[in-house]
Amino acid sequence: MPAAARLHGIGDLRVEQIDAPPPPTPGWSTIDVTSVGLCGSDLHWYTDGGTGEVTLDRSVVPGHEFAGVAVDGQYAGRRVAVDPAIPCGTCEQCRAGHGNLCPDVRFAGHAGLDGGLQESLVWPDHLLFPLPDSLSDDAGALLEPLGVAIHAVGVAHVRPGDDVLVAGGGPIGVLAAAVARRTGARRIFVSEPLAHRRETARRFGADDAWAPEEAAAAVESLTDGRGVDVAIEMAGVDDAIGTAVAAVRPGARIALGGIPSVPLSAFPAAVARRKGLTFAMVRRMHETYPRAIELATTGLDLDPLVSHRFPLAEAPQAFAHAVARTGDKTVITLPR
């Protein structure tokens, strides 16, 4: 029987034997999973039992950043990246082209839909994206967080010549900085409490990175008191929103992409009001895989972002390691 890592409760992740996936129906394919990245939201489910107001009410197989090999279907025998979101396709938001805002979306590893931390599963063909030979399986899995970063930069309205601050230097924040660079941003700064992640941000193209308590003053100095044009928050904590508010110029835009562990977020409203700031929310991603593949094959090397790899049998240890945040991206690999 195939194996899977199933989350039963807070801190209770078990590697178990499960039934093989059912034969695929027309329009779906069987995928043998090869690589799964652990996202910050996965860690919230593991440590907090949910994200915000959404809680773990039944056991689930986590994992929404994943790639594999199509066993059957139109891509049989090919390596593919998997878009984890399955919008309904019929609601007002889907009909308007905003599937990422679908209220009835099914999402891998959430709300009872088992995700990628299993040896094989079936998935819709239209959400599979063949991987070029130049991309590794791990890079295929990281196309999902890269897609979130692409969407965040778009929501932030980054323009050529902008100065940009990314608050939160985890993997998606680092990728947002890299995407902002390729969008034409003039200077890119990162606020991040962990020194090794600040260094990763610099390697991925940030002009500089500072601890959060230093960021606003550093930005003020480097911009002659003006502030940055855009901020992208990717930490999911109120302090990061506060850093963004302090660092931007009047009239700036702040995109909030971090996922908090509590339902409510707060920010310095008086300063934000005086500056006339615009806040925009980042909801996952929106049809970004083609752009992500283009970036990943034209100079944005995703593999160096992976700092640690674990086999599926050691998934509990992988989660514990990722929670400690001693590295960058933690990946769980499955043999083909």
Side-chain angles (χ1 to χ4, degrees):
M1 295 178 68
R6 182 171 291 277
L7 183 64
H8 291 269
I10 294 176
D12 184 9
L13 185 75
R14 310 173 200 170
V15 178
E16 304 172 339
Q17 300 299 308
I18 62 170
D19 294 333
T25 56
W28 291 60
S29 296
T30 306
I31 307 299
D32 283 349
V33 179
T34 55
S35 181
V36 184
L38 299 189
C39 177
S41 62
D42 294 320
L43 304 184
H44 278 308
W45 285 94
Y46 179 76
T47 59
D48 305 321
T51 56
E53 79 284 2
V54 182
T55 58
L56 181 68
D57 59 2
R58 70 191 83 171
S59 66
V60 69
V61 175
H64 59 270
E65 303 175 359
F66 62 105
V69 177
V71 177
D72 43 40
Q74 69 182 88
Y75 299 123
R78 300 185 67 178
R79 297 183 309 123
V80 293
V82 182
D83 185 332
I86 309 176
C88 74
T90 60
C91 70
E92 177 183 358
Q93 297 302 324
C94 286
R95 294 196 309 272
H98 302 297
N100 61 313
L101 303 181
C102 173
D104 297 315
V105 65
R106 292 182 292 161
F107 195 76
H110 288 230
L113 180 61
D114 287 341
L117 279 175
Q118 54 185 314
E119 292 183 22
S120 60
L121 76 170
V122 294
W123 211 256
D125 290 340
H126 70 281
L127 299 175
L128 305 177
F129 296 86
L131 291 176
D133 291 342
S134 60
L135 294 185
S136 68
D137 293 343
D138 290 348
L142 266 61
L143 292 175
E144 196 277 343
L146 176 56
V148 175
I150 292 169
H151 182 55
V153 170
V155 168
H157 295 179
V158 174
R159 300 287 186 257
D162 279 350
D163 286 337
V164 178
L165 173 72
V166 178
I172 297 180
V174 165
L175 291 174
V179 174
R181 173 70 70 199
R182 284 155 181 78
T183 304
R186 183 170 72 101
R187 291 183 296 184
I188 300 162
F189 309 119
V190 173
S191 169
E192 164 57 43
L194 300 177
H196 68 276
R197 289 188 167 181
R198 295 196 293 269
E199 182 55 37
T200 300
R202 295 185 187 100
R203 292 202 311 272
F204 272 75
D207 291 279
D208 210 342
W210 312 284
E213 62 272 17
E214 302 169 344
V219 166
E220 181 178 13
S221 175
L222 288 172
T223 62
D224 296 324
R226 176 177 180 272
V228 296
D229 300 283
V230 176
I232 302 173
E233 180 274 321
M234 281 295 177
V237 296
D238 291 351
D239 286 349
I241 304 176
T243 297
V245 168
V248 295
R249 63 166 173 80
R253 188 176 181 90
I254 298 176
L256 302 179
I259 298 178
S261 58
V262 295
L264 299 177
S265 296
F267 63 93
V271 177
R273 183 176 62 253
R274 284 196 299 272
K275 288 186 174 183
L277 303 182
T278 297
F279 291 87
M281 306 303 297
V282 179
R283 173 63 169 166
R284 293 177 178 158
M285 59 180 171
H286 181 50
E287 298 179 358
T288 54
Y289 272 83
R291 174 63 172 155
I293 291 172
E294 177 191 359
L295 288 175
T297 54
T298 56
L300 179 48
D301 188 1
L302 297 175
D303 287 312
L305 195 57
V306 178
S307 57
H308 297 83
R309 295 176 176 83
F310 293 80
L312 179 63
E314 297 177 11
Q317 295 93 317
F319 270 74
H321 170 82
V323 166
R325 289 178 168 82
T326 56
D328 293 309
K329 174 61 71 174
T330 299
V331 165
I332 293 176
T333 60
L334 294 84
R336 277 192 263 171

